[in-house]
Each structure stands twice: as structure tokens, then as C-alpha cells.
Amino acid sequence: MALVVLVAALWLGAAIGETSIPFGVVAKTVANRLWDAGYPLEPIDEGIVWSYRLSRAVVAACCGAALALSGVVLQSLLRNPLADPYILGISAGASTGAVSVAILGLGAGIMTLPMGAFFGALIAFALVSLLAVKAGRGTAAIILAGVAGSQLFNALTSFIVTKAATAEQARGIMFWLLGNLSGVRWPDAWLAIPAALAGLLVCLWHARSLDAFTFGAESAASLGISVRRTYLALVGISAMMTAVMVSIVGSIGFVGLVIPHAARMLVGIRHSVLLPVAALIGAVFMILADILSRVLIPGQVLPIGVITALVGAPAFAFVLGQRRGRG
Amino acid sequence: MTLSASNISWSVGAASIVDDVSLEVREGEFLGLIGPNGSGKTSLMALLSGIRKPRSGEVILDGVPIGRMGRREVARHLALVEQQAETADRITARQAVELGRTPYLGPLSPWSANDDAVVEATLENVDMAHLAGRLWHTLSGGERQRLHIGRALAQKPKILLLDEPTNHLDIGHQIGLLDLVRRQGLTVVAALHDLNHAAMFCDRIAVMQAGRLVAVGRPFEVLTAERIRDVFGVEAAIEIDIEGGCHIRFQAQSGRGGRSVSMGDGTGKRFSRS
Ligand SMILES: Nc1ncnc2c1ncn2[C@@H]1O[C@H](COP(=O)(O)OP(=O)(O)O)[C@@H](O)[C@H]1O
Ligand SMILES: [Mg+2]
């Protein structure tokens, strides 16, 4: 069932665009490429479907799933309904890391872009956690620390870009920073798919541990969870997923924040069900957001981050309202 | 199953919070932990349960230092009910109790019919079966506390650590809850703030003052007028009945008229120890 929904969304993603391509052609293209079916097709159509749209839809799906998973994990671990990689500054840190590698040539040769992003993400999370502890832990403290962290790392990124990048580099990077799937091709997908799958598996492996955090970390410890090991594994995997996605498509907000809440409303709080459902909704949401970003303004492509923010901000307001209602 | 602490200390920065405490919990007893706010009861509980590591000294569970046992292993023998454990999650009463099965579950050992049976029985045991489907935030304080106890009992522990389990409950629910706990026949360590309840339910009482353990013994041995004045700073008259039960009548602070006021709940005499 989940697979059907996902395939349908991918199908839509491949068919809809500036020039619509019939669903049959999409199916035949996939058959040609995967099983050498040998259907006669227009090479241009086949090229658009396979090289541009499908790879793009696949990356969008992985990205949505990864961000939603990170959101679920961070919200559950930190007992904070407003936590997500974007708000906590992890995405911003990953951007800084990626830009440091791409422009400053940090770790020349050994560090790839995603690795730079990963270290950036970890440093950002460590810094934000430290700040949050100093500010007195609570829900608000973490969010404020995240805001401060995001600002700091965004400023660092801008600084690096302005100082070291050529004008052309700078324009490309600024577009990428807003969240952009335009340049995505199959090699990106071969990075995004394993990252999202590994993330899903590690999170599912810890589903029971995440359940045990319902009444907080101390309660989890008394239920037999190794809190520190769980934190390390899950924050690590969230940082990894965020870093890979940021290095491919830039930082995209609100998906990690809103999708987990939608999933919880649908299937409840048990993580063994919640995690896969959140991943699925995230994947489908991102594919649809990407389609919207391509067709909303004819002849123009909106950064996908703009779409997710347009949908996400009202949803965010709704979550805030709900919280108040429950006291 | 025995639990003991030998010379455990815990501090934050320079402030010593639990100071060189040694305590042996006897099998099957109900041990009360009393002391004013901030005297270190919660911290001592955290150390005894192994979720916090002492700066020095050791907690021994069944002959093994608790720090050397796995967390899961510990959680199958010993359950802790914290002083404050709340959630904003939309969790049902039943799901709260189900969490108690965590130490028996893992990615490779999924939920089983046995776990269902334990949860059903536990819900009956804590008298919450009729509310099993209710959401957490719709439940009363007493009901939530019974579920916390239920979650701990679903761990099937031999030892139950309870940190001020009767906080915020009315008198009927306080007595009911302590009675429920005692019915389980487990080894219990409970931090209690009502001295009359401590006297009524505990086999022994341990007194904390500024991080130190200043007395341990039978209620009538520990609850003396001098000690209550010394530790809590209030005047009290102690009555000991024929069965050895002891009742405490607190007196208003001198200078405020000096009238004798019973701050006990007046139920002390009716619930003499059986
Ligand atoms: N994590 C901590 N950091 C700093 N101080 C703490 C911490 N935990 C407890 N304390 C302090 O230790 C003292 C004892 O606290 P606690 O164990 O909660 O006492 P009780 O439960 O008897 O009220 C208090 O003064 C409290 O402020
Ligand atoms: Mg306390």
C-alpha cells in the first residue's frame, strides 16, 4: 500500500512538468531503462522523464523521507514538538560545512561535500545543545538556541560565500541555499537513496527506545534504555541524513517539523508505525511540492523551500495553537 | 533480591548533594525515605536506581555493582517511579502501562501475547482497566499516578523505587495508592512527605538531612520529637499506640499563638498498622 502510494507519486512527478508527458510514456521509459523492454519512444521524452524528472522525483522523495524521520527522532528525543533539523540549526550548520568544502576547499581532496555537511551539522548540533543547556534546558531554551545557531551559521555561510566565491559561484550557491532540486541527476539519487534507507533502518531499529522517551530521558533510562548510546546513534543518523540532503538540495524548512505531526495525527505515537508513515508522507509531500514548484509559475522554477514554507508555516501555527490548547 | 548502597556520594560542582550514604534495603520491606525539600531524596533515588552514577561509592544490586549491569538487566529487577513524569503526547492509559514492557522488548524480540497478558493484569491490578482507552491528558492526577505505578509493575520488578508517589493527591487517593503499593508484596523504597503515612506504611524509615542519612530504623525509633524538630524544624508530639504504631501531632510554630494544631489528617488512628 505504502509502495503503491510512493510509486504513484513518483509517476506523477515524472509526468507533470512544463511539458506534460503521458503516463504510458513514463511507464515505458522505466521499462526500457530497467528491463531493456525496447518500447519505441521519442528520445527527447525518454530523456526528460529518465534523466531529469525521475531522478529529481526520487531525490525529492528521499529528501522528504529523511527530513521527516529526522523531525520525528528529534521531537521524540528532545521531548519538544517544535524540534526539527531546520529549526535546531542543523541544516544551517550542514550548509556552512558544505560551503566550506566547496569554496574554501577545506579538507582538500579527502572531504567530500556531504562529509563537510555532516561535520557542519554535528558541530551545529553540539553548539546548539550547549547553548540550550546554558539557557536552562526547557522547550523554549532549545528553540531559542536553535534560532541563534541558525543565524550564526547562516551568517558564516554568507560570509564565506561573499568573501571567497566568484560572482557566478555565489549566485548558484544562494539559489541552492534556498532549497533547490533543479540540478539534481541520478548520481545524486544514488547518494540520497542509501542515506534515506539507512536512516529509516536505524530509526526503526530504535523504535522501542524512542517510545520509552515518552516520559522523558530519565524515565527512558529507568525502563532500561541506554540513553547516551541512543542519543548518539539517533542524533548521528539525523545529522547524517540532514547533511546528505542539504549537500544535494540545500536546506529545506518545515518538512521535518510539520510532517511528523501530521503522521502522529494519522497513526498515533508508536514509533514502529509512526516512523515509516512519516517517511512516506514526507516523501510524497516533497514530490508534490516539487511538482508545484515547477508548474506554479509557467516558465519559472520556484525554489522548493518556498513551497514547503508556504505550506509549512500555517501548519506550524496550527501546531503551536494545539500545544496551547493542551496546556 | 537485595539492594544496598555503600558510601555513595554525588555532587554538582562544589555542592555536595548526596554525602557518603550507606543503606541496606531488606528483602520484602517497605522502606520510607523522609527529609525536607532539597535534602537529597530524589538524588538518592536516582543513584539507587542506577540512572545516575555516584561520584564515589557503589550501589549493589543482588551482589553486583549496578554500574556493571546492563540497563535492561537492571530494569527487569528494579523499577523507578519518578517524582514528576509528564508527557504532552497523545498516549492512552494502556500505552503508558505498555511502556513497562520495554526492558523485555527489542528489534528482535517483538511484542508478544505474554506482554498483552501482563499489561491486562497490571491494568486490573492498579484499577485502571476501565479507563484503558483514555488519553493521558484527560486523566486525573491520581489516575496518572496509578498508571505510573502500573508501568513500573509491568516491568515485573522485585524492587520498586517511588519518589513522592502521593504528591498532589487527596487524602483518600494517597492512602489508596500506598495501600496498592504495599499489596504488591515487593521490596519498596518510597520517598514520602507525610510523616504519618510513613509511620503507617513503612517497616523502616530512613531520614535524609542536607544530603546525609541521619537515621534509619523502625518508625517509633526514628520519629522522635527531637529529630523532627532537628530535621524539619517543627514541634511535634508523638503518640505510640499499643501495637507500636506511631502518630504525630504537629504544633504551630511558637510565636504564632502557640496553639496546638493537628496538621495530621486525623486519619492516623483509624489506620493503625496491621
Ligand atoms: N542536576 C542537578 N544540578 C544541580 N543541583 C541539583 C541537581 N539535582 C539536584 N540538585 C540539588 O540538590 C538538592 C537536593 O535535591 P533533591 O535530591 O531533589 O532533594 P529532594 O528530593 O529531597 O527534595 C537540591 O538543593 C537541588 O537543588
Ligand atoms: Mg524530590
Side-chain angles (χ1 to χ4, degrees):
Chain A
M1 160 57 184
L3 219 61
V4 172
V5 175
L6 189 60
V7 168
L10 286 171
W11 206 334
L12 274 179
I16 302 174
E18 219 162 319
T19 50
S20 291
I21 292 174
F23 290 115
V25 175
V26 174
K28 284 176 187 164
T29 304
V30 173
N32 279 355
R33 294 297 175 126
L34 290 186
W35 299 286
D36 259 334
Y39 291 110
L41 291 172
E42 289 275 351
I44 295 184
D45 282 357
E46 192 172 337
I48 289 179
V49 166
W50 185 256
S51 304
Y52 293 89
R53 294 209 186 141
L54 212 51
S55 56
R56 189 176 170 143
V58 166
V59 169
C62 293
C63 185
L67 291 176
L69 286 172
S70 303
V72 171
V73 164
L74 292 172
Q75 287 169 13
S76 295
L77 277 187
L78 304 178
R79 306 308 312 153
N80 192 325
L82 304 182
D84 98 315
Y86 191 75
I87 290 198
L88 293 183
I90 301 178
S91 298
S95 302
T96 309
V99 166
S100 306
V101 171
I103 296 180
L104 299 181
L106 215 66
I110 325 161
M111 291 267 274
T112 61
L113 215 66
M115 276 168 67
F118 179 62
F119 285 112
L122 283 184
I123 291 171
F125 186 74
L127 197 78
V128 167
S129 308
L130 208 72
L131 212 62
V133 169
K134 289 263 178 254
R137 283 158 198 268
T139 308
I142 299 176
I143 299 305
L144 291 177
V147 171
S150 300
Q151 297 291 332
L152 172 67
F153 282 97
N154 284 337
L156 273 177
T157 306
S158 301
F159 183 77
I160 294 170
V161 171
T162 318
K163 187 147 194 313
T166 64
E168 196 175 335
Q169 262 182 328
R171 194 154 0 97
I173 284 173
M174 281 312 177
F175 206 58
W176 165 73
L177 280 180
L178 279 175
N180 189 339
L181 282 156
S182 303
V184 164
R185 299 290 178 271
W186 278 110
D188 300 314
W190 299 135
L191 184 63
I193 294 171
L197 281 182
L200 179 61
L201 286 180
V202 171
C203 292
L204 275 178
W205 184 264
H206 287 94
R208 289 268 171 217
S209 309
L210 282 166
D211 288 344
F213 277 81
T214 302
F215 290 98
E218 298 232 310
S219 163
S222 73
L223 286 168
I225 303 299
S226 316
V227 170
R228 189 172 310 174
R229 204 182 315 147
T230 307
Y231 265 131
L232 283 178
L234 290 175
V235 169
I237 201 75
S238 299
M240 186 280 285
M241 285 192 284
T242 306
V244 168
M245 299 313 157
V246 165
S247 70
I248 299 173
V249 303
S251 55
I252 293 174
F254 291 104
V255 178
L257 177 66
V258 172
I259 301 293
H261 289 284
R264 258 184 230 110
M265 268 177 220
L266 276 179
V267 298
I269 49 140
R270 277 285 181 265
H271 286 85
S272 51
V273 183
L274 174 61
L275 286 163
V277 168
L280 177 68
I281 299 179
V284 172
F285 174 77
M286 278 289 266
I287 295 173
L288 297 183
D290 180 45
I291 295 174
L292 260 184
S293 78
R294 282 181 285 142
V295 300
L296 210 56
I297 308 175
Q300 281 272 11
V301 178
L302 274 169
I304 191 166
V306 174
I307 305 283
T308 60
L310 281 177
V311 179
F316 180 78
F318 179 71
V319 171
L320 278 176
Q322 280 251 309
R323 246 177 82 66
R324 230 184 115 213
R326 217 175 298 145
Chain B
M1 176 115 328
T2 59
L3 177 70
S4 64
S6 59
N7 304 101
I8 54 172
S9 299
W10 189 68
S11 48
V12 176
S16 174
I17 289 166
V18 172
D19 189 4
D20 198 29
V21 169
S22 294
L23 178 67
E24 195 168 320
V25 183
R26 296 178 188 157
E27 200 158 342
E29 78 171 335
F30 195 128
L31 176 67
L33 196 57
I34 63 171
N37 291 336
S39 59
K41 302 183 294 296
T42 298
S43 307
L44 180 60
M45 288 283 195
L47 292 170
L48 284 176
S49 69
I51 65 173
R52 205 173 281 163
K53 292 200 173 24
R55 183 69 52 90
S56 63
E58 241 173 8
V59 174
I60 314 264
L61 179 60
D62 223 20
V64 185
I66 206 166
R68 250 187 271 149
M69 300 172 79
R71 283 298 332 157
R72 274 164 78 86
E73 177 76 12
V74 172
R76 292 176 190 183
H77 298 304
L78 180 154
L80 169 71
V81 175
E82 293 164 282
Q83 187 169 1
Q84 287 161 336
E86 275 304 322
T87 186
D89 281 352
R90 293 176 63 79
I91 183 178
T92 63
R94 191 193 158 94
Q95 286 175 321
V97 173
E98 285 176 355
L99 288 178
R101 300 306 292 164
T102 305
Y104 300 91
L105 303 170
L108 305 178
S109 39
W111 188 265
S112 70
N114 177 49
D115 296 308
D116 267 327
V118 170
V119 170
E120 302 284 343
T122 307
L123 280 166
E124 290 289 344
N125 187 349
V126 300
D127 193 23
M128 285 296 290
H130 59 297
L131 297 174
R134 282 272 291 276
L135 286 173
W136 182 263
H137 67 272
T138 67
L139 295 167
S140 75
E143 289 158 349
R144 290 182 195 187
Q145 200 57 26
R146 290 217 296 283
L147 288 174
H148 278 310
I149 306 264
R151 170 175 56 80
L153 291 176
Q155 288 175 240
K156 290 277 158 209
K158 304 283 190 302
I159 301 173
L160 205 51
L161 303 183
L162 307 171
D163 195 356
E164 306 209 3
T166 55
N167 244 358
H168 308 306
L169 303 188
D170 64 51
I171 180 63
H173 282 96
Q174 291 187 12
I175 304 280
L177 193 97
L178 290 172
D179 218 35
L180 165 75
V181 169
R182 192 160 63 176
R183 277 206 309 274
Q184 307 303 319
L186 299 170
T187 306
V188 177
V189 182
L192 297 173
H193 54 261
D194 187 309
L195 300 189
N196 276 305
H197 292 172
M200 205 153 89
F201 283 95
C202 298
D203 300 308
R204 291 194 305 153
I205 291 177
V207 187
M208 292 285 289
Q209 183 180 23
R212 302 187 70 95
L213 195 63
V214 293
V216 190
R218 303 271 306 276
F220 67 86
E221 296 167 344
V222 168
L223 296 174
T224 60
E226 299 83 61
R227 183 161 289 120
I228 290 173
R229 184 186 316 122
D230 184 36
V231 173
F232 293 95
V234 289
E235 295 296 333
I238 319 288
E239 294 164 20
I240 299 186
D241 64 31
I242 331 151
E243 297 158 61
C246 82
H247 311 289
I248 301 151
R249 293 164 60 85
F250 296 101
Q251 271 132 33
Q253 317 252 314
S254 51
R256 277 196 167 176
R259 262 183 317 136
S260 170
V261 177
S262 175
M263 298 226 323
D265 30 63
T267 55
K269 288 200 176 83
R270 272 185 282 129
F271 289 84
S272 59
R273 279 150 46 96
S274 48

